[in-house]
């Protein structure tokens, strides 16, 4: 069964809108786990626009399954990861002006520095995933620089419609099969919601999906435990080909 990592960044976005104490992403994480989340993901951004350092520290204490830290490959973030020791790190590109992560890492352009960053994080006992576009060249490069895992960017699939979306789905299927054949643990995420998740969740070889915005959005209306339960149900149906 494909695992579900729930990204609680946007619970913190609502809190930071007022710079107050609620809603607390720590409480949200606990309820998400009770709803069936296989892990919790947070992106500690350089500008701290949503998740704060305090959140990451507390999550490390309370997440019993998989705590996934998304981060840019900067000196500051490497030191934080090595001190907090999440269960895995996902390296993502980060631009200050962006609304959300735009596109995967340009792994070919930063190959040498990535090799060094991955080694340092892995030497600290933390497995490393790279967030990449569904491209064979990027997958080969991820393997070469020593990543344990990749997360295939599903944003182009999520943002397209009709024939274009079918094309993007084929690209993702090909990327996942290729990545699995190279022995990389293979995840996917970005832009997935209750309407577009099934074709992705049914792809053979996929390890985990990382989903945030749609679950937090539904949680505003039905509560986070129920929102996670509904997403798990869709993933289960897709895996069983219902
Ligand atoms: N995976 C990665 C690498 C991301 O950066 C994000 C967004 O923080 C997600 C998954 C989740 O994307 P969404 O919030 O669109 O579900």
């Amino acid at each position: 069964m494909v695992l579900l990592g729930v990204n609680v960044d946007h619970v913190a976005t609502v809190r930071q809108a007022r710079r107050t104490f609620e809603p607390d992403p720590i409480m949200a994480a606990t309820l998400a786990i009770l709803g069936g989340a296989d892990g919790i993901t947070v992106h500690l951004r350089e500008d701290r626009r949503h998740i704060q350092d305090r959140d990451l520290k507390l999550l490390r204490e309370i997440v019993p399954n998989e705590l996934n830290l998304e981060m840019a490959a900067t000196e500051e973030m490497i030191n934080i990861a090595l001190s907090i020791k999440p269960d895995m790190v996902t390296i993502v590109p980060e631009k200050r002006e962006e609304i959300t992560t735009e596109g995967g890492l340009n792994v070919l352009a930063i190959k040498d520095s990535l090799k060094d960053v991955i080694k340092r994080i892995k030497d600290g006992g933390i497995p490393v995933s790279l967030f990449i576009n569904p491209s064979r060249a990027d997958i080969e490069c991820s393997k070469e620089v020593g990543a344990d895992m990749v997360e295939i960017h599903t944003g182009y699939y999520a943002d397209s419609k009709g024939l274009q979306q079918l094309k993007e789905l084929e690209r993702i299927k090909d990327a996942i099969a290729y990545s699995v054949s190279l022995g990389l643990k293979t995840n996917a995420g970005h832009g997935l919601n209750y309407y577009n998740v099934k074709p992705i969740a049914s792809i053979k070889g996929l390890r985990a999906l990382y989903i945030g915005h749609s679950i937090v959005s539904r949680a505003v209306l039905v509560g986070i435990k129920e929102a996670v339960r509904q997403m798990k149900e869709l993933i289960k149906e897709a895996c069983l080909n219902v």
Side-chain angles (χ1 to χ4, degrees):
M1 176 85 97
V2 175
L3 303 172
L4 172 63
V6 175
N7 181 318
V8 294
D9 289 353
H10 294 307
V11 176
T13 300
V14 176
R15 177 190 63 192
Q16 295 311 111
R18 285 290 176 91
R19 305 257 188 288
T20 178
F21 63 94
E22 64 186 1
D24 194 325
I26 316 306
M27 289 189 193
T30 301
L31 291 170
I33 290 164
L34 292 177
D38 299 295
I40 298 296
T41 296
V42 286
H43 183 175
L44 185 67
R45 296 185 80 105
E46 187 194 11
D47 63 10
R48 306 298 197 273
R49 67 173 73 157
H50 39 53
I51 292 296
Q52 306 296 306
D53 297 64
R54 161 267 187 205
D55 301 329
L56 182 62
K57 280 195 196 115
L58 289 175
L59 286 170
R60 176 59 299 178
E61 291 190 21
I62 65 122
V63 174
N65 38 25
E66 180 189 271
L67 177 62
N68 173 26
L69 171 62
E70 283 179 18
M71 54 172 244
T74 63
E75 206 49 41
E76 182 198 17
M77 289 301 154
I78 295 166
N79 289 330
I80 290 174
L82 290 173
S83 102
I84 299 285
K85 295 211 183 292
D87 298 298
M88 62 184 277
V89 155
T90 302
I91 300 179
V92 298
E94 191 176 304
K95 288 192 226 117
R96 246 173 204 278
E97 331 72 69
E98 69 190 359
I99 293 176
T100 181
T101 316
E102 293 165 357
L105 285 164
N106 188 351
V107 277
L108 294 160
I110 53 167
K111 196 167 157 183
D112 292 337
S113 65
L114 260 184
K115 221 181 236 176
D116 173 59
V117 169
I118 291 171
K119 183 176 182 318
R120 286 174 63 196
I121 300 173
K122 284 175 68 167
D123 284 351
I126 308 163
V128 179
S129 178
L130 301 180
F131 184 51
I132 58 170
N133 293 322
S135 130
R136 284 188 171 222
D138 288 357
I139 291 164
E140 277 165 21
C141 186
S142 301
K143 173 84 183 171
E144 205 186 318
V145 295
D148 304 283
M149 287 182 245
V150 290
E151 180 179 338
I152 304 292
H153 195 321
T154 51
Y156 308 105
Y157 159 82
D159 290 342
S160 57
K161 287 206 165 81
L163 264 185
Q164 186 57 35
Q165 190 170 47
L166 289 177
K167 266 195 206 158
E168 294 296 341
L169 180 61
E170 287 311 311
R171 271 181 77 200
I172 292 168
K173 281 184 180 167
D174 178 75
I176 290 173
Y178 189 58
S179 171
V180 170
S181 79
L182 295 187
L184 288 163
K185 289 183 182 163
T186 307
N187 307 311
H190 211 283
L192 297 176
N193 60 38
Y194 294 81
Y195 310 98
N196 65 19
V197 72
K198 275 188 160 185
I200 301 288
S202 65
I203 300 173
K204 297 275 172 291
L206 193 61
R207 174 185 167 275
L209 291 174
Y210 293 98
I211 307 180
H213 187 265
S214 64
I215 292 178
V216 172
S217 302
R218 184 158 291 203
V220 170
L221 305 176
V222 304
I224 194 152
K225 198 171 154 192
E226 173 62 13
V228 173
R229 195 197 63 72
Q230 289 179 13
M231 184 59 83
K232 282 285 287 189
E233 193 58 31
L234 291 174
I235 293 173
K236 190 167 133 197
E237 284 169 13
C239 291
L240 299 173
N241 269 328
V242 178

